[in-house]
Amino acid sequence: MRSMGPIKVPKASPQNYLKKHRMQPKPPKEERHVCPERKPAIPDSRNKLLLIRKKFDYVAAAIAETRVPDRTRPQAIADFHVGHEYFPKNSGLFPQYDYGKVPTYMHKRATEERSGLEDRCSQLQQEKQEEIRRRLQKQQEALLGLRKIWYQIASETSSVPTIMENRLIRSHRQCLEEKLLWLEKNIEYTQKCLEKWK
């Protein structure tokens, strides 16, 4: 049962399959355009006279251009109402270009950038020096602390009895000697670091 679409539409017959547009008028066939005149022949590579091009002298052309005055701009402008004549060079009517000269705003910008770079460099140097001072102070404090600990352990080792020895006393002495060696190594390393930073 069909529920959608128009009612009682005749179905297409199988004989008219793929014959939908056959009754429409067909466009005329395009005729191929043929040029009546023949193109000139390609010059032969063996005939060098036809292939030689004229050399353009750029230097002479540039000199000639400089010699000829610029006709686009008038040499002098006359004010007809008053009768004055003035030259447009410094009048401000036409833009002037000084080729080869660096403009003032570029000089100003370069000096500002240079001064900014110098300020930044000086700030960086000051920060580095402050950092070095802080590190030196920290390392000196660490050295003093290590030496204090070393003196304490050295006094402890000297107070350990040597006449009456037990396993406990021997192990305690060995532990103290290992600590002393470790402290001596650290003290040497910190001293080397201090010499480098100075």
Side-chain angles (χ1 to χ4, degrees):
M1 182 177 168
R2 199 163 66 170
S3 60
M4 290 181 74
I7 304 163
K8 293 180 183 177
V9 174
K11 292 180 182 179
S13 64
Q15 283 90 16
N16 294 332
Y17 183 68
L18 295 176
K19 294 180 181 178
K20 188 176 182 180
H21 302 286
R22 71 164 186 242
M23 301 302 287
Q24 289 179 0
K26 291 179 181 178
K29 287 184 178 180
E30 290 182 3
E31 291 182 5
R32 193 174 176 184
H33 179 71
V34 181
C35 188
E37 295 178 4
R38 291 192 73 182
K39 290 181 181 178
I42 297 163
D44 193 8
S45 60
R46 287 168 283 184
N47 192 358
K48 291 183 180 179
L49 290 168
L50 294 169
L51 294 170
I52 291 167
R53 293 178 183 175
K54 290 180 181 178
K55 289 184 180 179
F56 186 71
D57 195 3
Y58 293 99
V59 178
I63 292 163
E65 279 178 13
T66 53
R67 284 180 185 165
V68 175
D70 193 4
R71 300 290 179 192
T72 55
R73 290 186 192 176
Q75 298 300 315
I77 297 169
D79 192 358
F80 293 107
H81 298 290
V82 185
H84 294 299
E85 185 180 274
Y86 62 93
F87 292 93
K89 194 172 183 181
N90 298 319
S91 65
L93 295 169
F94 302 102
Q96 288 183 351
Y97 301 104
D98 295 329
Y99 296 107
K101 289 182 182 178
V102 181
T104 52
Y105 74 92
M106 293 275 280
H107 276 298
K108 193 176 177 183
R109 193 189 295 167
T111 50
E112 285 174 1
E113 284 178 1
R114 227 174 282 136
S115 62
L117 277 169
E118 286 171 3
D119 292 339
R120 275 186 232 135
C121 289
S122 61
Q123 280 180 356
L124 284 168
Q125 283 178 352
Q126 286 175 359
E127 285 173 7
K128 277 183 182 178
Q129 286 174 357
E130 285 174 7
E131 224 175 286
I132 288 162
R133 281 176 204 153
R134 280 184 215 142
R135 284 187 180 181
L136 282 168
Q137 284 177 354
K138 282 181 183 177
Q139 285 179 351
Q140 284 171 353
E141 287 170 7
L143 245 178
L144 289 168
L146 286 168
R147 280 178 181 160
K148 279 180 187 176
I149 294 163
W150 188 84
Y151 283 122
Q152 286 174 3
I153 292 166
S155 62
E156 278 182 38
T157 49
S158 62
S159 65
V160 173
T162 54
I163 298 161
M164 295 175 70
E165 278 194 350
N166 296 338
R167 284 182 184 172
L168 287 170
I169 293 165
R170 214 176 288 146
S171 63
H172 183 61
R173 191 187 291 152
Q174 282 176 356
C175 184
L176 289 170
E177 284 172 358
E178 284 173 4
K179 280 182 183 177
L180 280 170
L181 285 167
W182 182 77
L183 283 165
E184 283 169 4
K185 282 180 184 176
N186 282 334
I187 288 163
E188 282 178 12
Y189 180 72
T190 46
Q191 280 175 348
K192 281 179 185 176
C193 289
L194 280 167
E195 285 170 6
K196 276 183 185 177
W197 285 107
K198 284 177 182 176

